[in-house]
Amino acid sequence: MSIIKQMTHKRLTASMVIATLFTLSACSDNDNDAMDTPEPTPVPTQDYRVTVTNLTANQPMSPIALIRHSADMTAWQTGGSASLPLETLAESGDSAGFADMDGVDALVNGQGVLPSGMTESIELKLSQDEVSSISVLTMLVNTNDAFAGLNSVSLVDLTINTKVTFSSIAYDAGTEANSEAKGSIPGPADSGEGFNAMRDDVDRVHAHPGVISADDGLADSVLSASHRFDNPVLSISIERLR
């Protein structure tokens, strides 16, 4: 091998060694950087459990709607006209419209229809800046437009391991006449129509007067005495877990 070839070979070998050392050094730096990068601090949460019990004899409740919202928002106003989301829920059990209301931060739904005598719990994990107020709504599905729930309850002052319990009467959305007629009730007693945009009642929210039923002389009613209800219709508890 000539001297020129030997020198060229040595230069190439030296270059390869330098390149290898540089690569190892870069890998070492990257590993150190990865090891030195602190993991993000978990955001502490305040955890709550909302438990709803259906107290009626034969009024299944539509899937529970749990709404987290600002303190100045109300889901309904007794004596006032029902909002479109409230009308829709009270006539069909569909709560989706509340998600688009001003002041609403989140809408969580229960697993499904809540049968008479049954209980369901929904848990919430909220960061400190998310803690405000909640409302709970559900429809008595064997009615024209009855609903029940909690209206704007603050979570701010609820301390750890504390539980508060409320009772809810049945409210009438005032958007659909309580005819109890065939085809007008979405529940299993009729499997009729749900939401109807026409308002043919007093157009104000008020305490529900109750079900009459065919057994009590309302000839056109598809309901029976089993569908009648006394107040309260729901028991609702809110517990702060941590």
Side-chain angles (χ1 to χ4, degrees), residues 138-156:
T138 183
M139 177 195 182
L140 286 68
V141 297
N142 284 328
T143 67
N144 290 99
D145 62 342
F147 71 96
L150 286 182
N151 192 7
S152 192
V153 174
S154 176
L155 299 177
V156 173

Side-chain angles (χ1 to χ4, degrees), residues 52-64 110-121 138-142 188 233-235:
V52 181
T53 301
N54 182 345
L55 303 177
T56 69
N58 193 9
Q59 283 289 343
M61 302 291 170
S62 65
I64 304 300
Q111 294 295 313
V113 171
L114 183 63
S116 299
M118 300 302 289
T119 295
E120 181 177 8
S121 293
T138 183
M139 177 195 182
L140 286 68
V141 297
N142 284 328
V233 295
L234 294 181
S235 175

